[in-house]
Amino acid sequence: MTSNNNDFFKDNVLGHPAGLFVLFFTEMWERFSYYGMRALLVIFLTSAIIDGGWAWSRKEAMSLYGTYTMLVYFTPVIGGYLADKLLGYRWAVAIGALIMTAGHAAMTFDTPTSLYIGIGCLIAGNGLFKPNMTSIISEMYDDHPEKKDGAFTIYYMGVNAGAFLGILLCGYIGETYGFHWGFGLAGIFMFLGMLQFWFAKNIFGHIGLSKKQQGRLPIKNSPETTEEISPKVQRDRYIVVGILAFFTVFFWAAFEQAGGSMTIFAKDYTNRLLEGTAATIFRITNTLITIVPLAIITYVLVLLFKKTFKKYALANLFLASSFAVIWGIVLWMLKSQFNESSTEIPASWFGILNSFFIIAFAPLFSKIWESKFNPPASVKFGVGLILLGLGFGVLAYGSTSIPSGAETASVSVIWLVLAYLLHTLGELTLSPVGLSYVSKLVPATKIGLMFGLWYVAIGMGNKIAGSMGGMIDQITSDYSLTTFFLIFTLVPIVAGLMIIALTKIIKSLMHGVY
C-alpha cells in the first residue's frame, strides 16, 4: 500500500475522501441511464404503434427484458477479470462508460437492428463498468477497512439518486414526448458522467491502475509489506463469500418483484386516480420528494466543488452542467404537472419510492455501520431478508379484500408505500454491505473477478424473480393475490433466520474480518 492511499484522505467530504464522491457522481449518472432506459423498455415494446411503440406481446417484451437484466449482471465476471489482468480498474470504467454511451445513442434510432446493437453495448459496457467502480472503492479504503461499510453505503446513495432521477425524468419524457427522446436523455447523462470521471481521474493517484500502468508513473514511496494470509484462512473467507452470495440470490429473487408483480399490483389493483384535495396533496408530495433529494445531492456537489474545483475544474464544469440541465427538466416537469386538470399516479411512479427512501436513510445507516452498534455481517443480511419479507407481508394484508381470480381492484396506495419503505430498509442492510464484505474477504489480486461473481448471484436472483413473478396470474386464479405475496413473505423471513443462526460459524470462517 502506498502512502498515496493515506494522502487520499486529506481533502475529505463528509468524512470520506473527495475521490469517493467523484465515483458517487459517476455511478449516479450511469444508474440514471440504466434505470431511465429500463423504465421505458417494456412500455415502449408493448405500446401500440400509433403511440410510438412496437406492439410486441407482453411475453416477448418480458423475455427480452429478462435476458437483458440477467446478462447485465453476468458480464461483470469478464469485465472484472480483464481489469484484474490487463486494463486496470480505471481504464475498464472509462471504456465501459464509452461503450454504454454508444449503446444509448443506438437506441435513439427506431429500428430493430439499432435496438439490439444498443442493448448489446449496454450489456458489454456494464460488464467493464460495474465491478470495477466498486473495486476502486475497495482499493481506496485498503488502509481504512473500518470505513468501508460507510463508504459503500454512501456510494449506494449515489446509485439510487441516479435511479430515482432516471425513472422520474426519462420515464416522464419518454411517455409524454416520445420513447426515443427518453432513451436519448439516458445517453446524454451517461456521457457526462464519463467525462466527469475521466477529467478527475488523477484524484485517485495510483489507485485503479494496473501494475503495468503504475510502472510508468513515478512512485514516491515503495509499497508497505502486506499481511501474508494462509491458504486455509483465505479458503474459509471464500466460503463466507459463497454463503453471502447464496442468500443474496434469495433477496434479489424477491426484491426484484418491484419491476414485475409489484408494478402489476400498482397498475391493476391500486386506486391511482386522484381528484380534488387528494390530487393537490399528491402534487405537493411529489414536488417535495423530487426537490428535496435533488437539493441534498446538489449540496454534496457543492461540498465536492469546494475541495476539488481548483485542481479539476473541467471535471467539475461537466458535473455542474449536468446538474443545471437536471434542475431545468425537473422544474419544467413539475410546472407541467401542476397545470394538469386531473391526476392519475403513473404505475411506474411507485418505483421512485425505493430510491427516495435510500437517499433519505443511507446517511443514517452509514453512521450506524461506523459506530459501536455495527452488527456482524450475517445479522445484517438476516435483518435485510426479514425486512424484505415483512414488506411483502404488508402487501399480502392489503390484498385480503381482493377476491380470488380478480383481475382488477382498487386498494389504498398506502400498502405499496409501506412495502417499499420496508424493502428499502432491508436493501440498505444487505446490498451495499455485501459489496463491502466481498472487498474485505478476498485478496486484492482477485477483487475485480470476485465482484463479477457477486453480480452473477444478483443476476441469478433477477432471473428467478422474472420466472416467479410470471406466476402471479396462475396463483391469483387458483388461490388469491394474498397467497402470492405470502410466498414472498415467508421465504425471505425463513432465509433471514437461517443466516442469523449461522452467525457464530460465519464469524469463525471470517478470521477477524468485521
Side-chain angles (χ1 to χ4, degrees):
M1 206 71 53
T2 65
S3 65
N4 231 19
N5 193 324
N6 291 320
D7 291 343
F8 206 64
F9 281 79
K10 286 183 178 178
D11 293 328
N12 70 75
V13 177
L14 300 177
H16 288 269
L20 175 66
F21 292 90
V22 171
L23 299 174
F24 174 103
F25 286 112
T26 304
E27 178 68 10
M28 174 177 153
W29 292 134
E30 188 276 330
R31 291 289 89 182
F32 178 101
S33 69
Y34 173 78
Y35 282 100
M37 174 271 190
R38 198 181 79 163
L40 288 173
L41 182 61
V42 172
I43 299 172
F44 162 65
L45 293 173
T46 57
S47 292
I49 293 174
I50 195 172
D51 295 324
W54 284 3
W56 284 21
S57 69
R58 290 180 180 176
K59 183 178 180 180
E60 290 172 327
M62 289 304 298
S63 176
L64 176 61
Y65 173 82
T67 302
Y68 165 62
T69 55
M70 178 184 68
L71 290 176
V72 155
Y73 285 104
F74 276 19
T75 51
V77 177
I78 301 171
Y81 179 82
L82 289 174
D84 282 338
K85 298 296 184 182
L86 181 65
L87 296 173
Y89 306 135
R90 195 185 301 180
W91 269 99
V93 166
I95 294 170
L98 184 60
I99 293 172
M100 284 189 286
T101 300
H104 286 294
M107 292 187 70
T108 62
F109 297 97
D110 195 9
T111 68
T113 300
S114 63
L115 174 72
Y116 289 119
I117 290 173
I119 287 177
C121 287
L122 292 175
I123 291 168
N126 185 80
L128 287 167
F129 184 95
K130 196 170 188 67
N132 298 309
M133 287 286 286
T134 47
S135 296
I136 293 173
I137 296 175
S138 175
E139 188 176 347
M140 185 189 307
Y141 284 84
D142 275 351
D143 289 343
H144 302 271
E146 75 283 357
K147 294 184 75 68
K148 274 190 177 181
D149 285 5
F152 275 104
T153 302
I154 289 174
Y155 175 76
Y156 210 64
M157 187 171 81
V159 168
N160 283 274
F164 175 88
L165 293 169
I167 294 170
L168 188 71
L169 300 181
C170 293
Y172 175 76
I173 288 177
E175 292 189 64
T176 306
Y177 296 98
F179 294 110
H180 296 287
W181 286 103
F183 292 142
L185 185 67
I188 288 170
F189 285 96
M190 182 70 259
F191 184 61
L192 290 171
M194 179 195 69
L195 292 175
Q196 183 257 167
F197 173 82
W198 185 251
F199 287 105
K201 66 183 184 298
N202 289 337
I203 198 172
F204 302 109
H206 290 84
I207 293 172
L209 295 176
S210 67
K211 290 182 179 179
K212 184 177 180 181
Q213 291 161 351
Q214 288 187 32
R216 296 172 186 163
L217 297 173
I219 301 177
K220 296 179 181 177
N221 299 298
S222 59
E224 298 168 8
T225 303
T226 57
E227 178 188 358
E228 288 291 332
I229 298 174
S230 72
K232 179 185 180 302
V233 169
Q234 191 55 65
R235 183 202 64 195
D236 288 348
R237 289 176 177 175
Y238 280 135
I239 291 172
V240 174
V241 173
I243 293 170
L244 298 181
F246 175 75
F247 284 96
T248 291
V249 173
F250 283 93
F251 182 86
W252 291 106
F255 184 88
E256 283 300 322
Q257 295 304 311
S261 61
M262 289 177 69
T263 299
I264 293 171
F265 184 81
K267 181 176 179 291
D268 296 329
Y269 297 99
T270 302
N271 181 16
R272 297 180 290 111
L273 186 61
L274 305 178
E275 298 176 347
T277 303
T280 301
I281 291 173
F282 171 76
R283 288 168 184 160
I284 294 172
T285 302
N286 188 44
T287 299
L288 289 175
I289 67 172
T290 302
I291 294 294
V292 172
L294 187 54
I296 293 171
I297 301 302
T298 304
Y299 170 70
V300 176
L301 174 74
V302 172
L303 294 179
L304 181 64
F305 276 12
K306 289 180 179 178
K307 297 292 185 179
T308 64
F309 193 86
K310 288 183 180 179
K311 290 184 179 179
Y312 307 103
L314 189 56
N316 282 299
L317 287 174
F318 281 121
L319 190 55
S321 63
S322 63
F323 267 78
V325 173
I326 283 292
W327 272 106
I329 295 173
V330 163
L331 294 174
W332 165 66
M333 179 194 72
L334 293 174
K335 181 177 181 296
S336 299
Q337 290 178 343
F338 267 97
N339 290 334
E340 294 172 354
S341 57
S342 61
T343 297
E344 182 176 17
I345 305 173
S348 60
W349 179 87
F350 293 94
I352 72 172
L353 292 174
N354 171 243
S355 300
F356 170 75
F357 288 137
I358 281 192
I359 295 169
F361 288 103
L364 172 63
F365 277 77
S366 178
K367 291 298 182 184
I368 293 174
W369 302 155
E370 294 177 19
S371 73
K372 63 181 181 180
F373 301 107
N374 183 24
S378 54
V379 174
K380 292 174 185 172
F381 267 62
V383 171
L385 284 159
I386 290 168
L387 287 170
L388 177 67
L390 292 175
F392 281 106
V394 168
L395 292 178
Y397 180 79
S399 304
T400 52
S401 62
I402 300 174
S404 177
E407 295 184 0
T408 60
S410 188
V411 303
S412 172
V413 299
I414 191 64
W415 306 119
L416 272 172
V417 174
L418 289 174
Y420 272 108
L421 173 60
L422 288 167
H423 288 185
T424 302
L425 295 177
E427 184 183 6
L428 278 169
T429 64
L430 186 146
S431 187
V433 167
L435 294 172
S436 175
Y437 277 104
V438 171
S439 73
K440 294 176 184 178
L441 291 165
V442 304
T445 55
K446 298 288 192 300
I447 192 70
L449 177 62
M450 293 306 296
F451 273 129
L453 290 172
W454 183 262
Y455 287 121
V456 166
I458 297 175
M460 291 172 61
N462 273 261
K463 190 64 176 176
I464 295 170
S467 300
M468 294 175 69
M471 299 172 66
I472 184 171
D473 289 336
Q474 180 183 341
I475 294 175
T476 301
S477 177
D478 295 344
Y479 301 97
S480 66
L481 193 58
T482 294
T483 302
F484 175 81
F485 285 127
L486 276 175
I487 294 171
F488 294 100
T489 302
L490 297 175
V491 172
I493 288 177
V494 170
L497 293 173
M498 286 176 60
I499 193 171
I500 289 175
L502 294 172
T503 295
K504 188 173 181 180
I505 295 172
I506 291 174
K507 285 182 70 174
S508 173
L509 290 171
M510 291 172 76
H511 294 281
V513 172
Y514 297 103

